[in-house]
Amino acid sequence: MRLYDKQKAVKCINTLARRGEPFIFLIDYLQEKNYVEEVKNVSSAELLYNLNGFTNEGKFHKQQDGIPEPLEWQPAPVSFKEYSSAFEHVKKNILAGNSFLTNLTFQTPVSTNLTLENIYHHSRALYKVWVKEQFVVFSPESFVRINNGMISSFPMKGTINASIPNARHTLLNDEKEAAEHATIVDLIRNDLSMVATEVAVKRYRYIDTLQTNRGPILQTSSEICGKLPEDYRTHLGNILFSMLPAGSITGAPKKKTMQIIGEAENYERGFYTGIAGYFDGKDLDSGVMIRFIEQQEQGLCFKSGGGITSMSDAGNEYEEMKQKIYVPVY
């Protein structure tokens, strides 16, 4: 994969969008290593994608081995003590007024009989990407979509095990989750206002059900829309990068919160929590790269986390971080 720095990636996206050339893009969390490539030049032996139906999956890749039986899936998450140490650093900064919301994440070694390519082909998700010998992502979360000059974002905040009695009512009436969601919606609304006019919240805190290998979970999202200028394709790269990193995986305010994240987390996110998307020559769709498994020297690692607010409880947040360690293979 040929990777660009931010400046070159912006220029490449602007050029291709202005020409109406279809392309895909992968942008990492810090926007330091970015992949932008015309669709016709993407090698499916190195990179596979299915981004809300826009895909390079050909006949060669459809004949895959079945899901192993039994499916082995054994995460080894950090201890609660280690999690608590990072959580307390974040919480201290929140109480000091340095952040209103901070997304804290960890990497978890996973023992499984699934390969990265197995996971890609058998996962069911809105946005899927496989990069040979590097990572696989199966994300349910949209970043932005552009259709006929309208830009929409769909921040996702709030998760609960669907098997819990009255799970839907519990999720919607959780004070901490409601406050966290409101903060993200406000942040994304501000982000869109930098590039669009007539920005408004179209849907607020709607619930989706996600199927996983450990059973269904519920997640809340909102939809925020705005109108782009007529010439937006000539500076599409600038538009995308001006809104990064995604507010849902950083927090607010972004700059200071990213500093807190860097202090609290003991690993590099890399492409995790970056974005993946495509431009089909006219419109664009993209997803946040959450639900992410990376191939490391010691084996596979799953990266996951959640938003911390002043009302957060370390035990509950630790359980949410672990709950997200799943594959949508069922």
Side-chain angles (χ1 to χ4, degrees):
M1 285 175 58
R2 179 173 55 180
L3 300 178
Y4 298 107
D5 62 20
K6 179 178 178 178
Q7 184 178 3
K8 289 183 179 178
V10 168
K11 184 178 180 180
C12 188
I13 290 173
N14 289 346
T15 300
L16 292 173
R18 184 169 57 249
R19 293 176 181 169
E21 297 282 354
F23 63 88
I24 72 158
F25 54 90
L26 307 177
I27 301 173
D28 79 341
Y29 168 62
L30 295 177
Q31 303 121 67
E32 294 174 342
K33 298 178 180 179
N34 311 291
Y35 175 79
V36 183
E37 189 61 81
E38 290 182 70
V39 167
K40 63 185 179 182
N41 295 332
V42 177
S43 169
S44 59
E46 301 293 327
L47 187 152
L48 286 168
Y49 59 87
N50 189 326
L51 304 167
N52 199 10
F54 191 85
T55 182
N56 68 338
E57 296 171 359
K59 292 181 180 180
F60 175 79
H61 292 284
K62 289 185 178 179
Q63 299 300 320
Q64 294 294 318
D65 294 333
I67 301 170
E69 291 289 347
L71 192 157
E72 297 174 8
W73 185 256
Q74 293 294 329
V78 298
S79 67
F80 181 64
K81 181 179 179 181
E82 184 176 344
Y83 180 88
S84 296
S85 177
F87 176 90
E88 290 304 323
H89 179 77
V90 169
K91 191 74 171 283
K92 179 179 68 176
N93 275 277
I94 290 173
L95 295 177
N98 296 325
S99 176
F100 304 108
L101 167 67
T102 301
N103 190 266
L104 177 63
T105 74
F106 285 82
Q107 57 181 2
T108 299
V110 174
S111 176
T112 180
N113 53 357
L114 293 168
T115 66
L116 292 180
E117 200 165 6
N118 278 154
I119 294 167
Y120 174 85
H121 284 289
H122 296 292
S123 291
R124 305 183 192 184
L126 199 58
Y127 303 96
K128 300 198 301 178
V129 177
W130 167 81
V131 178
K132 185 179 180 180
E133 297 178 354
Q134 293 189 45
F135 65 83
V136 64
V137 58
F138 39 91
S139 176
E141 181 173 0
S142 298
F143 177 54
V144 295
R145 294 175 186 162
I146 298 175
N147 183 263
N148 293 324
M150 297 297 294
I151 185 169
S152 302
S153 188
F154 305 82
M156 178 180 286
K157 276 295 172 189
T159 306
I160 194 171
N161 186 331
S163 66
I164 294 174
N166 301 313
R168 183 177 294 264
H169 179 270
T170 300
L171 180 57
L172 289 177
N173 289 277
D174 186 300
E175 187 177 352
K176 178 264 176 183
E177 296 287 6
E180 181 181 344
H181 198 93
T183 300
I184 286 301
V185 168
D186 190 51
L187 175 61
I188 300 302
R189 184 168 51 191
N190 289 338
D191 283 353
L192 289 187
S193 294
M194 294 189 299
V195 301
T197 59
E198 301 176 30
V199 175
V201 179
K202 189 173 180 180
R203 289 187 292 167
Y204 187 69
R205 291 194 83 205
Y206 61 89
I207 292 182
D208 289 320
T209 301
L210 306 179
Q211 301 294 336
T212 83
N213 61 309
R214 298 164 60 186
I217 61 174
L218 304 181
Q219 294 231 227
T220 53
S221 300
S222 288
E223 180 181 359
I224 309 159
C225 304
K227 184 177 181 180
L228 291 170
E230 290 187 7
D231 65 345
Y232 75 89
R233 290 184 197 169
T234 64
H235 54 280
L236 182 58
N238 302 83
I239 289 172
L240 282 176
F241 277 88
S242 70
M243 295 184 289
L244 293 174
S248 62
I249 49 74
T250 50
K254 271 190 192 179
K255 186 174 181 180
K256 181 61 178 179
T257 299
M258 287 179 69
Q259 179 185 328
I260 297 167
I261 287 171
E263 295 164 353
E265 296 182 353
N266 61 355
Y267 75 102
E268 297 296 326
R269 288 191 179 187
F271 278 99
Y272 170 56
T273 66
I275 65 168
Y278 72 89
F279 177 75
D280 66 3
K282 180 181 178 183
D283 296 321
L284 178 143
D285 196 356
S286 59
V288 183
M289 288 196 281
I290 57 173
R291 312 302 189 262
F292 188 102
I293 303 176
E294 184 173 273
Q295 180 70 58
Q296 299 182 0
E297 287 186 11
Q298 69 272 28
L300 299 183
C301 275
F302 195 112
K303 298 180 178 181
S304 66
I308 311 300
T309 72
S310 61
M311 293 181 284
S312 292
D313 172 79
N316 291 338
E317 297 298 338
Y318 180 62
E319 291 303 317
E320 179 177 335
M321 182 271 292
K322 293 193 296 180
Q323 186 181 65
K324 292 175 179 175
I325 305 170
Y326 70 83
V327 283
V329 173
Y330 52 93

